[in-house]
Amino acid sequence: MVLFRHLNRFFAICLALSVSAAHASKLNTDNIQTASVSTFVTDLGSNQALFQKNADIVMPIASLTKVMTAMVILDANLALDEPINFNKDDKERIYNGYSRIRMGSTLSRGEALHIALMSSENLATAALARQFPGGYDAFIKAMNAKAKSLDMTDTVFVDSSGLNPDNVSTAADITKMIKAAYDYPKIRQYSTTPVHTAYFKKPRYKLGYTNTNALVRGQKWDVALSKTGYLDIAGHCLAMITEVDGKQLLIVTLDAYGKLTPVGDAGRIKKWLQSGHSGKVSESAMHYQKQKLSTLTN
């Protein structure tokens, strides 16, 4: 009987070791491909980096900038129900880009932050920064100070929206920023709202907004924090925290050539974690990566 118990224990240990080995083989980084130029995947539970690709290359980050904008606003403990206004200075700071917001109208600071995070409303970030204590320049200074405090050593901010391509960072630094942002309940809430209606005053009107992340809009993924970004020079970018098979993952992908490529990369990462293989990316995506890397590293 004692021998039988010892044999059972021996077989249990062997089974556990084989399961552990099988799981380790699933996470073979030779078996994952992403179409984005730069990728960083972290298991937040263990704080372990699961996959990195070109994660230390400095590149424009587009509207991922708005996560830092949100942290600076919230750190200042400004009243979120206080009305802020939109004027021509804000329009100029987004390079006279299109916005449905009417000049002269007002919206609460919290609502402006909400539509900036979920729908990447650029005019909202310009107005938020202008009406910061000390003004716009003080806001940009606070963004860079916050980045320094988070040890984002390869990051520079020059505007609050991300429209300026001189806003640069790395996937490794963005990972630090998103980890910090996860401690802000408002950022988690605002960035993962699928759809939202904002009510403006002076004059009274309303505008409907949708989330820029298709994975949030579709509500098929459990997304706890999200931000997308796009500029011609930055490509399509995505930073999000999501759950896959009980693991809380932080995914950062920078500079993808297609609008849905970051979503495709998220799917490839999920497939790799579940099956051990991500599947391949297209030849055109590989060609794009090669071209961009030659530009970024020269």
Side-chain angles (χ1 to χ4, degrees), residues 199-220:
Y199 294 87
F200 295 78
K201 294 181 179 179
K202 299 181 181 180
R204 290 181 177 272
Y205 64 100
K206 62 182 180 180
L207 293 175
Y209 291 88
T210 59
N211 201 292
T212 54
N213 185 349
L215 297 177
V216 173
R217 293 197 306 272
Q219 301 184 60
K220 292 182 179 180

Side-chain angles (χ1 to χ4, degrees), residues 106-124:
T106 65
L107 186 69
S108 73
R109 180 177 283 109
E111 284 289 87
L113 190 58
H114 197 157
I115 61 177
L117 284 171
M118 69 166 287
S119 200
S120 223
E121 172 55 68
N122 292 309
L123 195 69

Side-chain angles (χ1 to χ4, degrees), residues 76-95:
N77 293 314
L78 304 173
L80 295 183
D81 59 355
E82 180 183 352
I84 65 168
N85 61 74
F86 302 89
N87 68 23
K88 61 181 180 62
D89 290 336
D90 305 324
K91 189 77 170 176
E92 289 174 2
R93 286 213 168 91
I94 65 167
Y95 311 101

Side-chain angles (χ1 to χ4, degrees), residues 135-150:
Y136 194 87
D137 290 343
F139 188 84
I140 304 305
K141 185 177 179 180
M143 292 176 74
N144 285 295
K146 180 71 172 181
K148 185 177 181 180
S149 75
L150 297 176

